[in-house]
Amino acid sequence: MRVHKLTFAALAVAASLSLTACQNDDDATGQSDPSAASSAASSGGGSGSDDSQQGAGDETGGEGTGGQEAAAGSGSGSGSGSGENDKTGKCRTDELKFKAMDATIDGDTEGTVAVELTNGGGRECAISGYAGVDLKTNSGTLSAKRSGEPVVPGTLEDGETVAFGIHYPINDSGGSGVRITGLVVTPPDETKSVTLDWPGAATLPVTDGTGSPVKVGPIGSAGQGG
């Protein structure tokens, strides 16, 4: 019996030691998992932090660059005038003075009217392209067609003048033709028009209505003066 008791006691002690060892192993495993998770989180957090710092750095750099550009733009406004806000604005109808004159030369096969536009706005302005031209007639409004000549960008200093030409067929048919009563001009890129007296021939020949016989050249096509 004593032998059995010792055996049972030994088995109990061995079981206790085995259980303790298992618990220690479990504890170690449990501790290693949080540590690994913490390490992974730390590694992930570090990358995220770097990303966020890089993002913040990019944004700061962008703002800094934008600020420098804005400063350069505002600074150049009083200097070279190359800043975005200092680009030459287009010539407005209200800033221009208009004058129409007969420019037909003896021997020409068609009549020509030159329209001068003088900058009176007190600032430099940009003007290029084709003006809108409409002739008022006793048969209604006749719109001029573009001549197709190339457009050349240009600017007008305050007080400077530029001109374009209007070309029309001469009425040598012997009939009364179409009587012209006025000239309406709309500067390029504008919607406001001005009405002028027509200085050219009083009439146009009657056409078959297949197209406008009147053509307009681009700004600058009739010369430029100061």
Side-chain angles (χ1 to χ4, degrees), residues 130-157:
Y130 285 81
V133 171
D134 297 300
L135 299 186
K136 292 183 176 181
T137 76
N138 61 339
S139 298
T141 299
L142 179 65
S143 297
K145 295 178 61 177
R146 295 180 177 184
S147 65
E149 298 172 67
V151 171
V152 179
T155 59
L156 288 178
E157 298 287 346

Side-chain angles (χ1 to χ4, degrees), residues 169-173 177-178 203-207 213:
I170 296 175
N171 182 18
D172 54 7
S173 64
V178 178
T203 63
L204 297 174
V206 177
T207 64

Side-chain angles (χ1 to χ4, degrees), residues 191-206:
T191 57
K192 186 174 183 179
S193 305
V194 295
T195 301
L196 306 171
D197 291 334
W198 174 253
T203 63
L204 297 174
V206 177

Side-chain angles (χ1 to χ4, degrees), residues 7 16 40 43 51 57-58 66 70 73 82 163 210 224:
T7 301
S16 175
S43 174
D51 291 343
D58 292 343
S82 60
T210 57
Q224 182 171 350

Side-chain angles (χ1 to χ4, degrees), residues 4-18:
H4 290 294
K5 287 180 179 180
L6 290 175
T7 301
F8 290 149
L11 291 174
V13 170
S16 175
L17 291 174
S18 176

Side-chain angles (χ1 to χ4, degrees), residues 11-201:
L11 291 174
V13 170
S16 175
L17 291 174
S18 176
L19 179 60
T20 301
C22 291
Q23 289 177 346
N24 289 337
D25 290 341
D26 292 342
D27 291 342
T29 303
Q31 291 173 359
S32 64
D33 289 343
S35 175
S38 175
S39 176
S42 175
S43 174
S47 174
S49 175
D50 289 343
D51 291 343
S52 64
Q53 288 176 358
Q54 291 174 359
D58 292 343
E59 291 175 0
T60 301
E63 291 173 359
T65 302
Q68 291 172 1
E69 288 179 350
S74 59
S76 64
S78 58
S80 64
S82 60
E84 181 69 23
N85 294 331
D86 296 306
K87 288 183 178 179
T88 303
K90 65 181 180 180
C91 298
R92 301 287 185 178
T93 302
D94 290 337
E95 297 176 316
L96 298 171
K97 299 176 182 178
F98 299 79
K99 181 180 180 181
M101 64 195 75
D102 185 13
T104 304
I105 299 175
D106 290 342
D108 284 353
T109 58
E110 62 181 4
T112 300
V113 166
V115 178
E116 290 186 345
L117 291 77
T118 301
N119 179 12
R123 66 177 180 93
E124 181 185 64
C125 63
I127 187 167
S128 63
Y130 285 81
V133 171
D134 297 300
L135 299 186
K136 292 183 176 181
T137 76
N138 61 339
S139 298
T141 299
L142 179 65
S143 297
K145 295 178 61 177
R146 295 180 177 184
S147 65
E149 298 172 67
V151 171
V152 179
T155 59
L156 288 178
E157 298 287 346
D158 184 38
E160 191 175 9
T161 297
V162 68
F164 65 89
I166 302 171
H167 309 285
Y168 62 93
I170 296 175
N171 182 18
D172 54 7
S173 64
S176 59
V178 178
R179 185 167 56 87
I180 302 173
T181 60
L183 168 63
V184 180
V185 176
T186 308
D189 301 319
E190 282 287 88
T191 57
K192 186 174 183 179
S193 305
V194 295
T195 301
L196 306 171
D197 291 334
W198 174 253

